Amino acid sequence: MCEGAIFRKMAIYAFPLIITNVLQLLFNAADVAVLGIFDGDSSVAAVSSNGALIGLIVSLFVGVSVGANVLIARCVGENNPEKAHRTVGTSIVVSVLLGAVLLVIGFFGARTFLQWMKSDPEVIDLAVEYLQIYFLGMPVMMLYNFAAAILRAVGDTVRPLIFLVVAGVANVLLNLFFVVVIGNGVKGVGIATVLSQLVAAILCVITLIKNDGYSKFGIGYFRIYPKELFEMFRIGIPAGIQGCLFSISNVFIQTEINLYGVNAVAGNGIAGQLDGIIYQAMYGIELTALAFVSQNYGAGNIKRIRKIVLTSVLFVSVVGMIMSTVIVSLGRVFGGMMSKDPAVVDYVMIRLVIVGIPYFLCGIMDVLSNAIRGVGHSALAMIITLAGTLVFRLIYLSTVYQLFKTIEMVYVIYPAS
């Protein structure tokens, strides 16, 4: 990452990440598709209504894994394997502890959280059931997120892709088994998600144990090192808060969408899966920018960082525009595969047109945010996001939206912010 042709190396690093992220979302979309085909739109709405809430609760903790990624990448640039091993050990311990905290918060607070969001009474019992099962698997999910971040920090984006494919196929098969064969519906989808994440986590941890070099996980390092923990939190907590701020605004937006009824909620959930494909493709480039900037910052290559940032902005813009064109063009086809109700598909298209077409702006924002974070100013990136997303969106919902109260005006908030 610290020498040679920038775009070529970024592309080699980014494309497995892009495929990984898109596949992750497609496997998640399979959950919704299986429910839509075999269990009905109420089950789709129950799972979909949890998306913003899960994002809010998980974002802070997953953000800490960004700290681990940046710290290990810097160790590579600085040629400091001992510090990298201490960071890996600390990361694994922290991931399990944070997962346990999330388990307790999500399991026991599920119904309260959904009531705060004005979840539709028709689907709230199913939504609570799914949310509780999802959070029972949180220690495993956090372990996977941290382990994958460690592998990415040292340039390995291929093996996490392989592990995801294995876990994703398992998820689809388990979905069909639990929903179609057993008839467990929403509960079955939740169990399938947890079991498939367990597969991915086990494969990642085995890889770290067998690895040599910066990403090796040795049992002797399985403890918390205070200095590494502090640095990880200093970078990761602002990143997590930034994700939370983004998710808090999404919770407010989801609350407004819930008022438009089950069809709107189901359509929004399906469209979220589809425009999420655009986001996840761009997210691969955003993570690439983070890793390249962090390693070069560790090596002191400041001029190269500037070129990396410019290349990343152009890269993410082109990928975002291409993906938007494909998804919006095929939106009605994809929507029809996940719901048999034409009214739901209409709601899918409303969101896709308004949110999907200008989505490349979000990619530019996140690339620049990660670049700022990669050179150590994580709090600054958080403050910019606070002003540009949460504060702006809350002002918009309380002013402009009140004057023109339609679901279309709810969605305008995304490109505007």
Side-chain angles (χ1 to χ4, degrees), residues 386-405:
L386 171 62
T389 54
L390 179 62
V391 174
F392 175 85
R393 289 179 178 184
L394 292 179
I395 292 172
Y396 177 96
L397 286 174
S398 61
T399 55
V400 177
Y401 174 65
Q402 297 304 317
L403 297 174
F404 308 97
K405 214 164 186 179

Side-chain angles (χ1 to χ4, degrees), residues 61 64 89-100 142 146 222-224 229 232-233:
F61 297 90
V64 180
T90 302
S91 299
I92 298 300
V93 176
V94 167
S95 69
V96 177
L97 293 177
L98 293 181
M142 291 300 295
F146 273 75
F222 186 64
R223 49 168 287 195
I224 291 178
L229 180 67
M232 193 188 307
F233 277 9

Side-chain angles (χ1 to χ4, degrees), residues 42-333:
S42 292
S43 295
V44 172
V47 172
S48 300
S49 64
N50 280 307
L53 179 59
I54 289 171
L56 168 60
I57 297 174
V58 173
S59 289
L60 175 60
F61 297 90
V62 171
V64 180
S65 71
V66 173
N69 180 288
V70 171
L71 201 55
I72 294 169
R74 282 189 192 171
C75 291
V76 176
E78 295 168 354
N79 193 24
N80 191 343
E82 176 60 25
K83 184 177 180 180
H85 295 156
R86 293 197 300 267
T87 304
V88 170
T90 302
S91 299
I92 298 300
V93 176
V94 167
S95 69
V96 177
L97 293 177
L98 293 181
V101 172
L102 275 172
L103 186 157
V104 174
I105 292 172
F107 185 84
F108 291 103
R111 183 170 294 275
T112 301
F113 296 145
L114 289 167
Q115 287 171 342
W116 287 347
M117 289 179 63
K118 302 176 186 176
S119 185
D120 194 305
E122 290 184 37
V123 301
I124 191 168
D125 289 338
L126 287 173
V128 169
E129 185 176 56
Y130 175 80
L131 194 60
Q132 288 182 326
I133 293 171
Y134 189 94
F135 276 95
L136 283 174
M138 197 49 63
V140 168
M141 296 180 192
M142 291 300 295
L143 180 59
Y144 167 74
N145 275 294
F146 273 75
I150 291 166
L151 290 172
R152 289 195 299 267
V154 297
D156 186 353
T157 57
V158 174
R159 281 186 289 187
L161 169 59
I162 295 170
F163 302 154
L164 178 71
V165 170
V166 173
V169 171
N171 185 37
V172 172
L173 295 176
L174 288 168
N175 276 337
L176 293 171
F177 174 74
F178 284 118
V179 176
V180 181
V181 179
I182 304 297
N184 273 343
V186 169
K187 182 190 294 185
V189 167
I191 295 170
T193 299
V194 172
L195 291 177
S196 62
Q197 286 281 348
L198 176 62
V199 171
I202 290 172
L203 291 172
C204 277
V205 171
I206 290 173
T207 300
L208 293 178
I209 291 172
K210 291 187 173 182
N211 266 0
D212 292 320
Y214 293 94
S215 63
K216 182 172 180 58
F217 172 49
I219 300 301
Y221 289 95
F222 186 64
R223 49 168 287 195
I224 291 178
Y225 292 88
K227 184 178 178 182
E228 280 68 26
L229 180 67
F230 173 78
E231 290 188 53
M232 193 188 307
F233 277 9
R234 185 178 65 81
I235 298 167
I237 288 180
I241 293 174
Q242 177 177 324
C244 280
L245 296 174
F246 214 84
S247 296
I248 286 171
S249 66
N250 287 337
V251 168
F252 283 109
I253 294 168
Q254 181 68 54
T255 301
E256 294 298 328
I257 292 169
N258 289 346
L259 300 177
Y260 289 91
V262 172
N263 284 345
V265 174
N268 181 69
I270 292 170
Q273 297 282 353
L274 295 174
D275 66 43
I277 295 173
I278 306 168
Y279 176 78
Q280 292 298 337
M282 296 189 298
Y283 186 54
I285 301 165
E286 295 156 19
L287 291 175
T288 300
L290 179 68
F292 272 68
V293 168
S294 298
Q295 278 205 20
N296 280 275
Y297 186 70
N301 296 335
I302 305 303
K303 288 184 179 179
R304 186 173 175 84
I305 289 174
R306 295 193 179 102
K307 294 178 182 178
I308 288 167
V309 173
L310 178 59
T311 302
S312 300
V313 167
L314 295 173
F315 193 3
V316 81
S317 298
V318 172
V319 169
M321 291 176 189
I322 292 172
M323 294 299 296
S324 296
T325 301
V326 173
I327 295 300
V328 174
S329 299
L330 298 175
R332 195 166 289 278
V333 175

